[in-house]
Amino acid sequence: MMFENNVQEPTKDQKRIRRLMEVCDERLDENTNRTPSTELQHCLKNFLHFVEATEPRGQLGKEFDCQWGDKSLSATSARKSIQKDPQSRAPIGKKCDYIVLCKSIAWNPELLIGEVSGGLPRCPQWKFWHDLLIKCALGSRDCIWRILNEMPYLTRNDIESTKIYSFQLVGSSLYVYCTDYYRGVFRFAMVDYCTLPVSIYETEQRKEVYCVMKGLFESIEAEAKQLVQLAKGKKRVRPMSDYDPEAAYKALKVVPSPPDKNENEYY
């Protein structure tokens, strides 16, 4: 009985990894032959448990909002609304399968875009390029544009260090991309790649997918901390002495109220 004192209780991460391996065994037993499946079936059976095992949890998870489904990008909607009247036409953003928002900042910037391009065995080539260029690339560009627009006080070093990540699942292949703004040019590049496990014997593939997704969410956490620090060190762009309330009132588009109705009309 002396050896019982040296037994250590597994940590939360170890329990999560153990549970992930059990789920992988169950899902791969059910889908060993990799039969053709739709996009939703492919995501639920083969990929969703990796995302759930690596998403921020606990106190850190309260700072992020991870959303699945056809979610609209607020950054794209804000970019399209420039110099337009939102009352006449309210443009919507690009629809993405997965979005991670930072709730530590009031305007909730998007830090991660995820896209599942079709099911199994593989989506058409046009679907792959459409999701890559329109949703991942241009969507990440709009996210950076929104950060620069909401934080006009950022220095050049702060702007160049800001990054937006995205991932794309194509069949059994998982691609991770990164977008930044360097010297007036938006740069979009693939930074990591892995393949999902096909059978219960590919234990190394499970570790690789877990490490890729874990590193991706750790990078997002670092970007969120950087944005929060930049928001704390916000400098006033315009001093209060330059504020002219009369000029600001004239610049408003005041909508005249309807004329008062006679009280007798209500009886």
PDB file of all heavy atoms in Angstrom, residues 225-261:
ATOM      1  N   LYS A 225      -4.835  38.333 -26.193  1.00  0.00           N
ATOM      2  CA  LYS A 225      -4.128  39.069 -25.140  1.00  0.00           C
ATOM      3  C   LYS A 225      -3.467  40.327 -25.700  1.00  0.00           C
ATOM      4  O   LYS A 225      -3.466  41.382 -25.059  1.00  0.00           O
ATOM      5  CB  LYS A 225      -3.086  38.163 -24.490  1.00  0.00           C
ATOM      6  CG  LYS A 225      -3.681  37.022 -23.675  1.00  0.00           C
ATOM      7  CD  LYS A 225      -2.581  36.166 -23.060  1.00  0.00           C
ATOM      8  CE  LYS A 225      -3.172  35.001 -22.261  1.00  0.00           C
ATOM      9  NZ  LYS A 225      -2.112  34.133 -21.675  1.00  0.00           N
ATOM     10  N   GLN A 226      -2.911  40.216 -26.898  1.00  0.00           N
ATOM     11  CA  GLN A 226      -2.262  41.376 -27.504  1.00  0.00           C
ATOM     12  C   GLN A 226      -3.284  42.477 -27.816  1.00  0.00           C
ATOM     13  O   GLN A 226      -3.031  43.664 -27.551  1.00  0.00           O
ATOM     14  CB  GLN A 226      -1.545  40.965 -28.778  1.00  0.00           C
ATOM     15  CG  GLN A 226      -0.845  42.114 -29.489  1.00  0.00           C
ATOM     16  CD  GLN A 226      -0.149  41.667 -30.760  1.00  0.00           C
ATOM     17  OE1 GLN A 226      -0.111  40.477 -31.074  1.00  0.00           O
ATOM     18  NE2 GLN A 226       0.391  42.605 -31.502  1.00  0.00           N
ATOM     19  N   LEU A 227      -4.454  42.097 -28.344  1.00  0.00           N
ATOM     20  CA  LEU A 227      -5.476  43.092 -28.645  1.00  0.00           C
ATOM     21  C   LEU A 227      -6.011  43.744 -27.374  1.00  0.00           C
ATOM     22  O   LEU A 227      -6.292  44.944 -27.359  1.00  0.00           O
ATOM     23  CB  LEU A 227      -6.618  42.447 -29.421  1.00  0.00           C
ATOM     24  CG  LEU A 227      -6.330  42.043 -30.868  1.00  0.00           C
ATOM     25  CD1 LEU A 227      -7.551  41.377 -31.480  1.00  0.00           C
ATOM     26  CD2 LEU A 227      -5.905  43.249 -31.696  1.00  0.00           C
ATOM     27  N   VAL A 228      -6.150  42.962 -26.305  1.00  0.00           N
ATOM     28  CA  VAL A 228      -6.618  43.534 -25.044  1.00  0.00           C
ATOM     29  C   VAL A 228      -5.602  44.531 -24.500  1.00  0.00           C
ATOM     30  O   VAL A 228      -5.967  45.605 -24.003  1.00  0.00           O
ATOM     31  CB  VAL A 228      -6.896  42.403 -24.029  1.00  0.00           C
ATOM     32  CG1 VAL A 228      -7.160  42.981 -22.651  1.00  0.00           C
ATOM     33  CG2 VAL A 228      -8.077  41.566 -24.476  1.00  0.00           C
ATOM     34  N   GLN A 229      -4.316  44.198 -24.592  1.00  0.00           N
ATOM     35  CA  GLN A 229      -3.285  45.133 -24.138  1.00  0.00           C
ATOM     36  C   GLN A 229      -3.281  46.409 -24.971  1.00  0.00           C
ATOM     37  O   GLN A 229      -3.100  47.510 -24.443  1.00  0.00           O
ATOM     38  CB  GLN A 229      -1.913  44.459 -24.202  1.00  0.00           C
ATOM     39  CG  GLN A 229      -1.730  43.335 -23.198  1.00  0.00           C
ATOM     40  CD  GLN A 229      -1.798  43.815 -21.756  1.00  0.00           C
ATOM     41  OE1 GLN A 229      -1.410  44.942 -21.442  1.00  0.00           O
ATOM     42  NE2 GLN A 229      -2.312  42.958 -20.873  1.00  0.00           N
ATOM     43  N   LEU A 230      -3.497  46.278 -26.271  1.00  0.00           N
ATOM     44  CA  LEU A 230      -3.561  47.470 -27.127  1.00  0.00           C
ATOM     45  C   LEU A 230      -4.789  48.306 -26.808  1.00  0.00           C
ATOM     46  O   LEU A 230      -4.740  49.537 -26.867  1.00  0.00           O
ATOM     47  CB  LEU A 230      -3.568  47.052 -28.597  1.00  0.00           C
ATOM     48  CG  LEU A 230      -2.293  46.402 -29.126  1.00  0.00           C
ATOM     49  CD1 LEU A 230      -2.488  45.946 -30.558  1.00  0.00           C
ATOM     50  CD2 LEU A 230      -1.110  47.360 -29.035  1.00  0.00           C
ATOM     51  N   ALA A 231      -5.898  47.646 -26.463  1.00  0.00           N
ATOM     52  CA  ALA A 231      -7.104  48.392 -26.094  1.00  0.00           C
ATOM     53  C   ALA A 231      -6.928  49.108 -24.769  1.00  0.00           C
ATOM     54  O   ALA A 231      -7.455  50.210 -24.574  1.00  0.00           O
ATOM     55  CB  ALA A 231      -8.300  47.439 -26.036  1.00  0.00           C
ATOM     56  N   LYS A 232      -6.187  48.507 -23.830  1.00  0.00           N
ATOM     57  CA  LYS A 232      -5.929  49.168 -22.547  1.00  0.00           C
ATOM     58  C   LYS A 232      -5.051  50.393 -22.720  1.00  0.00           C
ATOM     59  O   LYS A 232      -5.237  51.407 -22.046  1.00  0.00           O
ATOM     60  CB  LYS A 232      -5.257  48.189 -21.592  1.00  0.00           C
ATOM     61  CG  LYS A 232      -6.158  47.093 -21.066  1.00  0.00           C
ATOM     62  CD  LYS A 232      -5.399  46.196 -20.098  1.00  0.00           C
ATOM     63  CE  LYS A 232      -6.298  45.106 -19.548  1.00  0.00           C
ATOM     64  NZ  LYS A 232      -5.560  44.203 -18.612  1.00  0.00           N
ATOM     65  N   GLY A 233      -4.080  50.313 -23.623  1.00  0.00           N
ATOM     66  CA  GLY A 233      -3.178  51.434 -23.843  1.00  0.00           C
ATOM     67  C   GLY A 233      -3.652  52.394 -24.903  1.00  0.00           C
ATOM     68  O   GLY A 233      -2.849  53.002 -25.601  1.00  0.00           O
ATOM     69  N   LYS A 234      -4.984  52.488 -25.047  1.00  0.00           N
ATOM     70  CA  LYS A 234      -5.552  53.346 -26.078  1.00  0.00           C
ATOM     71  C   LYS A 234      -5.234  54.814 -25.797  1.00  0.00           C
ATOM     72  O   LYS A 234      -5.387  55.299 -24.682  1.00  0.00           O
ATOM     73  CB  LYS A 234      -7.065  53.147 -26.139  1.00  0.00           C
ATOM     74  CG  LYS A 234      -7.761  54.047 -27.159  1.00  0.00           C
ATOM     75  CD  LYS A 234      -9.254  53.774 -27.178  1.00  0.00           C
ATOM     76  CE  LYS A 234      -9.952  54.702 -28.170  1.00  0.00           C
ATOM     77  NZ  LYS A 234     -11.404  54.462 -28.216  1.00  0.00           N
ATOM     78  N   LYS A 235      -4.809  55.505 -26.834  1.00  0.00           N
ATOM     79  CA  LYS A 235      -4.531  56.932 -26.744  1.00  0.00           C
ATOM     80  C   LYS A 235      -5.672  57.702 -27.404  1.00  0.00           C
ATOM     81  O   LYS A 235      -6.191  57.294 -28.428  1.00  0.00           O
ATOM     82  CB  LYS A 235      -3.199  57.255 -27.428  1.00  0.00           C
ATOM     83  CG  LYS A 235      -1.993  56.567 -26.807  1.00  0.00           C
ATOM     84  CD  LYS A 235      -0.730  56.925 -27.556  1.00  0.00           C
ATOM     85  CE  LYS A 235       0.473  56.214 -26.941  1.00  0.00           C
ATOM     86  NZ  LYS A 235       1.718  56.526 -27.679  1.00  0.00           N
ATOM     87  N   ARG A 236      -6.011  58.826 -26.809  1.00  0.00           N
ATOM     88  CA  ARG A 236      -7.088  59.628 -27.366  1.00  0.00           C
ATOM     89  C   ARG A 236      -6.634  60.232 -28.694  1.00  0.00           C
ATOM     90  O   ARG A 236      -5.640  60.961 -28.761  1.00  0.00           O
ATOM     91  CB  ARG A 236      -7.480  60.745 -26.390  1.00  0.00           C
ATOM     92  CG  ARG A 236      -8.747  61.494 -26.820  1.00  0.00           C
ATOM     93  CD  ARG A 236      -9.129  62.519 -25.774  1.00  0.00           C
ATOM     94  NE  ARG A 236      -9.398  61.897 -24.487  1.00  0.00           N
ATOM     95  CZ  ARG A 236     -10.559  61.368 -24.164  1.00  0.00           C
ATOM     96  NH1 ARG A 236     -11.549  61.377 -25.045  1.00  0.00           N
ATOM     97  NH2 ARG A 236     -10.730  60.826 -22.983  1.00  0.00           N
ATOM     98  N   VAL A 237      -7.382  59.915 -29.742  1.00  0.00           N
ATOM     99  CA  VAL A 237      -7.015  60.404 -31.078  1.00  0.00           C
ATOM    100  C   VAL A 237      -7.254  61.901 -31.187  1.00  0.00           C
ATOM    101  O   VAL A 237      -6.468  62.635 -31.788  1.00  0.00           O
ATOM    102  CB  VAL A 237      -7.818  59.643 -32.152  1.00  0.00           C
ATOM    103  CG1 VAL A 237      -7.452  60.134 -33.539  1.00  0.00           C
ATOM    104  CG2 VAL A 237      -7.556  58.156 -32.023  1.00  0.00           C
ATOM    105  N   ARG A 238      -8.332  62.393 -30.591  1.00  0.00           N
ATOM    106  CA  ARG A 238      -8.677  63.806 -30.691  1.00  0.00           C
ATOM    107  C   ARG A 238      -8.839  64.381 -29.301  1.00  0.00           C
ATOM    108  O   ARG A 238      -9.596  63.830 -28.483  1.00  0.00           O
ATOM    109  CB  ARG A 238      -9.987  63.954 -31.472  1.00  0.00           C
ATOM    110  CG  ARG A 238     -10.430  65.401 -31.644  1.00  0.00           C
ATOM    111  CD  ARG A 238     -11.760  65.445 -32.372  1.00  0.00           C
ATOM    112  NE  ARG A 238     -12.789  64.725 -31.625  1.00  0.00           N
ATOM    113  CZ  ARG A 238     -13.996  64.480 -32.108  1.00  0.00           C
ATOM    114  NH1 ARG A 238     -14.311  64.846 -33.316  1.00  0.00           N
ATOM    115  NH2 ARG A 238     -14.883  63.832 -31.362  1.00  0.00           N
ATOM    116  N   PRO A 239      -8.138  65.444 -28.949  1.00  0.00           N
ATOM    117  CA  PRO A 239      -8.299  66.039 -27.614  1.00  0.00           C
ATOM    118  C   PRO A 239      -9.688  66.621 -27.438  1.00  0.00           C
ATOM    119  O   PRO A 239     -10.355  66.998 -28.396  1.00  0.00           O
ATOM    120  CB  PRO A 239      -7.205  67.107 -27.572  1.00  0.00           C
ATOM    121  CG  PRO A 239      -6.917  67.432 -29.000  1.00  0.00           C
ATOM    122  CD  PRO A 239      -7.141  66.164 -29.762  1.00  0.00           C
ATOM    123  N   MET A 240     -10.124  66.698 -26.197  1.00  0.00           N
ATOM    124  CA  MET A 240     -11.462  67.199 -25.911  1.00  0.00           C
ATOM    125  C   MET A 240     -11.617  68.670 -26.272  1.00  0.00           C
ATOM    126  O   MET A 240     -12.719  69.135 -26.529  1.00  0.00           O
ATOM    127  CB  MET A 240     -11.785  66.996 -24.427  1.00  0.00           C
ATOM    128  CG  MET A 240     -11.959  65.537 -24.026  1.00  0.00           C
ATOM    129  SD  MET A 240     -13.327  64.752 -24.886  1.00  0.00           S
ATOM    130  CE  MET A 240     -14.704  65.674 -24.208  1.00  0.00           C
ATOM    131  N   SER A 241     -10.531  69.443 -26.300  1.00  0.00           N
ATOM    132  CA  SER A 241     -10.622  70.864 -26.613  1.00  0.00           C
ATOM    133  C   SER A 241     -11.059  71.094 -28.052  1.00  0.00           C
ATOM    134  O   SER A 241     -11.601  72.151 -28.385  1.00  0.00           O
ATOM    135  CB  SER A 241      -9.277  71.547 -26.355  1.00  0.00           C
ATOM    136  OG  SER A 241      -8.260  70.939 -27.146  1.00  0.00           O
ATOM    137  N   ASP A 242     -10.834  70.095 -28.940  1.00  0.00           N
ATOM    138  CA  ASP A 242     -11.219  70.252 -30.341  1.00  0.00           C
ATOM    139  C   ASP A 242     -12.666  69.861 -30.604  1.00  0.00           C
ATOM    140  O   ASP A 242     -13.133  69.949 -31.741  1.00  0.00           O
ATOM    141  CB  ASP A 242     -10.309  69.389 -31.235  1.00  0.00           C
ATOM    142  CG  ASP A 242      -8.864  69.870 -31.181  1.00  0.00           C
ATOM    143  OD1 ASP A 242      -8.666  71.008 -30.739  1.00  0.00           O
ATOM    144  OD2 ASP A 242      -7.971  69.100 -31.557  1.00  0.00           O
ATOM    145  N   TYR A 243     -13.367  69.445 -29.584  1.00  0.00           N
ATOM    146  CA  TYR A 243     -14.746  68.988 -29.781  1.00  0.00           C
ATOM    147  C   TYR A 243     -15.689  70.186 -29.822  1.00  0.00           C
ATOM    148  O   TYR A 243     -15.727  71.004 -28.894  1.00  0.00           O
ATOM    149  CB  TYR A 243     -15.142  68.033 -28.656  1.00  0.00           C
ATOM    150  CG  TYR A 243     -16.563  67.551 -28.744  1.00  0.00           C
ATOM    151  CD1 TYR A 243     -16.934  66.669 -29.753  1.00  0.00           C
ATOM    152  CD2 TYR A 243     -17.516  67.982 -27.840  1.00  0.00           C
ATOM    153  CE1 TYR A 243     -18.227  66.215 -29.847  1.00  0.00           C
ATOM    154  CE2 TYR A 243     -18.812  67.530 -27.929  1.00  0.00           C
ATOM    155  CZ  TYR A 243     -19.175  66.652 -28.930  1.00  0.00           C
ATOM    156  OH  TYR A 243     -20.460  66.217 -29.016  1.00  0.00           O
ATOM    157  N   ASP A 244     -16.430  70.284 -30.902  1.00  0.00           N
ATOM    158  CA  ASP A 244     -17.385  71.378 -31.084  1.00  0.00           C
ATOM    159  C   ASP A 244     -18.789  70.777 -31.107  1.00  0.00           C
ATOM    160  O   ASP A 244     -19.187  70.171 -32.110  1.00  0.00           O
ATOM    161  CB  ASP A 244     -17.105  72.120 -32.391  1.00  0.00           C
ATOM    162  CG  ASP A 244     -17.958  73.380 -32.524  1.00  0.00           C
ATOM    163  OD1 ASP A 244     -18.757  73.648 -31.600  1.00  0.00           O
ATOM    164  OD2 ASP A 244     -17.828  74.074 -33.542  1.00  0.00           O
ATOM    165  N   PRO A 245     -19.546  70.890 -30.032  1.00  0.00           N
ATOM    166  CA  PRO A 245     -20.871  70.247 -30.011  1.00  0.00           C
ATOM    167  C   PRO A 245     -21.828  70.830 -31.036  1.00  0.00           C
ATOM    168  O   PRO A 245     -22.663  70.122 -31.589  1.00  0.00           O
ATOM    169  CB  PRO A 245     -21.353  70.489 -28.576  1.00  0.00           C
ATOM    170  CG  PRO A 245     -20.554  71.650 -28.088  1.00  0.00           C
ATOM    171  CD  PRO A 245     -19.235  71.586 -28.779  1.00  0.00           C
ATOM    172  N   GLU A 246     -21.716  72.123 -31.329  1.00  0.00           N
ATOM    173  CA  GLU A 246     -22.624  72.737 -32.298  1.00  0.00           C
ATOM    174  C   GLU A 246     -22.372  72.185 -33.703  1.00  0.00           C
ATOM    175  O   GLU A 246     -23.303  71.881 -34.458  1.00  0.00           O
ATOM    176  CB  GLU A 246     -22.451  74.255 -32.282  1.00  0.00           C
ATOM    177  CG  GLU A 246     -23.451  74.983 -33.173  1.00  0.00           C
ATOM    178  CD  GLU A 246     -23.324  76.493 -33.050  1.00  0.00           C
ATOM    179  OE1 GLU A 246     -22.538  76.945 -32.188  1.00  0.00           O
ATOM    180  OE2 GLU A 246     -24.007  77.195 -33.809  1.00  0.00           O
ATOM    181  N   ALA A 247     -21.067  72.026 -34.060  1.00  0.00           N
ATOM    182  CA  ALA A 247     -20.745  71.458 -35.370  1.00  0.00           C
ATOM    183  C   ALA A 247     -21.147  69.992 -35.456  1.00  0.00           C
ATOM    184  O   ALA A 247     -21.604  69.511 -36.501  1.00  0.00           O
ATOM    185  CB  ALA A 247     -19.250  71.612 -35.641  1.00  0.00           C
ATOM    186  N   ALA A 248     -20.999  69.269 -34.357  1.00  0.00           N
ATOM    187  CA  ALA A 248     -21.402  67.864 -34.359  1.00  0.00           C
ATOM    188  C   ALA A 248     -22.911  67.721 -34.506  1.00  0.00           C
ATOM    189  O   ALA A 248     -23.401  66.803 -35.176  1.00  0.00           O
ATOM    190  CB  ALA A 248     -20.933  67.189 -33.071  1.00  0.00           C
ATOM    191  N   TYR A 249     -23.655  68.651 -33.915  1.00  0.00           N
ATOM    192  CA  TYR A 249     -25.117  68.592 -34.044  1.00  0.00           C
ATOM    193  C   TYR A 249     -25.559  68.887 -35.473  1.00  0.00           C
ATOM    194  O   TYR A 249     -26.484  68.270 -36.004  1.00  0.00           O
ATOM    195  CB  TYR A 249     -25.758  69.591 -33.077  1.00  0.00           C
ATOM    196  CG  TYR A 249     -27.272  69.653 -33.177  1.00  0.00           C
ATOM    197  CD1 TYR A 249     -28.057  68.660 -32.606  1.00  0.00           C
ATOM    198  CD2 TYR A 249     -27.893  70.695 -33.862  1.00  0.00           C
ATOM    199  CE1 TYR A 249     -29.437  68.698 -32.705  1.00  0.00           C
ATOM    200  CE2 TYR A 249     -29.272  70.743 -33.970  1.00  0.00           C
ATOM    201  CZ  TYR A 249     -30.043  69.746 -33.391  1.00  0.00           C
ATOM    202  OH  TYR A 249     -31.404  69.793 -33.499  1.00  0.00           O
ATOM    203  N   LYS A 250     -24.880  69.826 -36.134  1.00  0.00           N
ATOM    204  CA  LYS A 250     -25.227  70.146 -37.518  1.00  0.00           C
ATOM    205  C   LYS A 250     -24.904  68.985 -38.464  1.00  0.00           C
ATOM    206  O   LYS A 250     -25.551  68.826 -39.499  1.00  0.00           O
ATOM    207  CB  LYS A 250     -24.479  71.396 -37.960  1.00  0.00           C
ATOM    208  CG  LYS A 250     -24.932  72.662 -37.237  1.00  0.00           C
ATOM    209  CD  LYS A 250     -24.147  73.870 -37.746  1.00  0.00           C
ATOM    210  CE  LYS A 250     -24.592  75.140 -37.024  1.00  0.00           C
ATOM    211  NZ  LYS A 250     -23.825  76.336 -37.472  1.00  0.00           N
ATOM    212  N   ALA A 251     -23.901  68.192 -38.107  1.00  0.00           N
ATOM    213  CA  ALA A 251     -23.517  67.079 -38.977  1.00  0.00           C
ATOM    214  C   ALA A 251     -24.498  65.915 -38.881  1.00  0.00           C
ATOM    215  O   ALA A 251     -24.516  65.036 -39.755  1.00  0.00           O
ATOM    216  CB  ALA A 251     -22.110  66.582 -38.623  1.00  0.00           C
ATOM    217  N   LEU A 252     -25.330  65.884 -37.833  1.00  0.00           N
ATOM    218  CA  LEU A 252     -26.290  64.801 -37.683  1.00  0.00           C
ATOM    219  C   LEU A 252     -27.426  64.941 -38.690  1.00  0.00           C
ATOM    220  O   LEU A 252     -27.844  66.052 -39.034  1.00  0.00           O
ATOM    221  CB  LEU A 252     -26.866  64.791 -36.269  1.00  0.00           C
ATOM    222  CG  LEU A 252     -25.909  64.437 -35.133  1.00  0.00           C
ATOM    223  CD1 LEU A 252     -26.621  64.588 -33.787  1.00  0.00           C
ATOM    224  CD2 LEU A 252     -25.397  63.020 -35.297  1.00  0.00           C
ATOM    225  N   LYS A 253     -27.900  63.811 -39.159  1.00  0.00           N
ATOM    226  CA  LYS A 253     -29.070  63.780 -40.030  1.00  0.00           C
ATOM    227  C   LYS A 253     -30.293  63.561 -39.151  1.00  0.00           C
ATOM    228  O   LYS A 253     -30.634  62.436 -38.793  1.00  0.00           O
ATOM    229  CB  LYS A 253     -28.943  62.658 -41.058  1.00  0.00           C
ATOM    230  CG  LYS A 253     -27.793  62.861 -42.042  1.00  0.00           C
ATOM    231  CD  LYS A 253     -27.753  61.735 -43.056  1.00  0.00           C
ATOM    232  CE  LYS A 253     -26.618  61.943 -44.044  1.00  0.00           C
ATOM    233  NZ  LYS A 253     -26.559  60.835 -45.051  1.00  0.00           N
ATOM    234  N   VAL A 254     -30.948  64.666 -38.805  1.00  0.00           N
ATOM    235  CA  VAL A 254     -32.092  64.612 -37.903  1.00  0.00           C
ATOM    236  C   VAL A 254     -33.338  64.269 -38.712  1.00  0.00           C
ATOM    237  O   VAL A 254     -33.657  64.934 -39.703  1.00  0.00           O
ATOM    238  CB  VAL A 254     -32.270  65.940 -37.155  1.00  0.00           C
ATOM    239  CG1 VAL A 254     -33.450  65.864 -36.194  1.00  0.00           C
ATOM    240  CG2 VAL A 254     -30.995  66.292 -36.407  1.00  0.00           C
ATOM    241  N   VAL A 255     -34.016  63.213 -38.306  1.00  0.00           N
ATOM    242  CA  VAL A 255     -35.256  62.810 -38.965  1.00  0.00           C
ATOM    243  C   VAL A 255     -36.405  63.522 -38.272  1.00  0.00           C
ATOM    244  O   VAL A 255     -36.589  63.378 -37.055  1.00  0.00           O
ATOM    245  CB  VAL A 255     -35.446  61.284 -38.884  1.00  0.00           C
ATOM    246  CG1 VAL A 255     -36.745  60.869 -39.559  1.00  0.00           C
ATOM    247  CG2 VAL A 255     -34.260  60.588 -39.517  1.00  0.00           C
ATOM    248  N   PRO A 256     -37.185  64.322 -38.994  1.00  0.00           N
ATOM    249  CA  PRO A 256     -38.279  65.055 -38.331  1.00  0.00           C
ATOM    250  C   PRO A 256     -39.342  64.084 -37.821  1.00  0.00           C
ATOM    251  O   PRO A 256     -39.653  63.073 -38.443  1.00  0.00           O
ATOM    252  CB  PRO A 256     -38.823  65.944 -39.447  1.00  0.00           C
ATOM    253  CG  PRO A 256     -38.419  65.262 -40.715  1.00  0.00           C
ATOM    254  CD  PRO A 256     -37.109  64.603 -40.425  1.00  0.00           C
ATOM    255  N   SER A 257     -39.861  64.398 -36.654  1.00  0.00           N
ATOM    256  CA  SER A 257     -40.892  63.561 -36.047  1.00  0.00           C
ATOM    257  C   SER A 257     -42.233  63.838 -36.721  1.00  0.00           C
ATOM    258  O   SER A 257     -42.471  64.933 -37.255  1.00  0.00           O
ATOM    259  CB  SER A 257     -40.986  63.850 -34.552  1.00  0.00           C
ATOM    260  OG  SER A 257     -41.277  65.217 -34.339  1.00  0.00           O
ATOM    261  N   PRO A 258     -43.143  62.872 -36.734  1.00  0.00           N
ATOM    262  CA  PRO A 258     -44.461  63.093 -37.351  1.00  0.00           C
ATOM    263  C   PRO A 258     -45.250  64.123 -36.570  1.00  0.00           C
ATOM    264  O   PRO A 258     -45.046  64.313 -35.369  1.00  0.00           O
ATOM    265  CB  PRO A 258     -45.108  61.703 -37.277  1.00  0.00           C
ATOM    266  CG  PRO A 258     -44.400  61.005 -36.165  1.00  0.00           C
ATOM    267  CD  PRO A 258     -42.989  61.534 -36.200  1.00  0.00           C
ATOM    268  N   PRO A 259     -46.140  64.829 -37.235  1.00  0.00           N
ATOM    269  CA  PRO A 259     -46.939  65.859 -36.530  1.00  0.00           C
ATOM    270  C   PRO A 259     -47.837  65.233 -35.472  1.00  0.00           C
ATOM    271  O   PRO A 259     -48.263  64.087 -35.591  1.00  0.00           O
ATOM    272  CB  PRO A 259     -47.741  66.499 -37.665  1.00  0.00           C
ATOM    273  CG  PRO A 259     -47.796  65.454 -38.734  1.00  0.00           C
ATOM    274  CD  PRO A 259     -46.487  64.717 -38.639  1.00  0.00           C
ATOM    275  N   ASP A 260     -48.074  66.008 -34.427  1.00  0.00           N
ATOM    276  CA  ASP A 260     -48.928  65.536 -33.341  1.00  0.00           C
ATOM    277  C   ASP A 260     -50.368  65.387 -33.831  1.00  0.00           C
ATOM    278  O   ASP A 260     -50.899  66.261 -34.553  1.00  0.00           O
ATOM    279  CB  ASP A 260     -48.888  66.508 -32.166  1.00  0.00           C
ATOM    280  CG  ASP A 260     -47.488  66.575 -31.567  1.00  0.00           C
ATOM    281  OD1 ASP A 260     -46.758  65.566 -31.706  1.00  0.00           O
ATOM    282  OD2 ASP A 260     -47.144  67.618 -30.977  1.00  0.00           O
ATOM    283  N   LYS A 261     -50.971  64.288 -33.424  1.00  0.00           N
ATOM    284  CA  LYS A 261     -52.357  64.042 -33.804  1.00  0.00           C
ATOM    285  C   LYS A 261     -53.300  64.608 -32.763  1.00  0.00           C
ATOM    286  O   LYS A 261     -52.942  64.760 -31.595  1.00  0.00           O
ATOM    287  CB  LYS A 261     -52.600  62.549 -33.960  1.00  0.00           C
ATOM    288  CG  LYS A 261     -51.794  61.921 -35.092  1.00  0.00           C
ATOM    289  CD  LYS A 261     -52.140  60.440 -35.234  1.00  0.00           C
ATOM    290  CE  LYS A 261     -51.352  59.844 -36.399  1.00  0.00           C
ATOM    291  NZ  LYS A 261     -51.678  58.395 -36.566  1.00  0.00           N
TER     292      LYS A 261
END
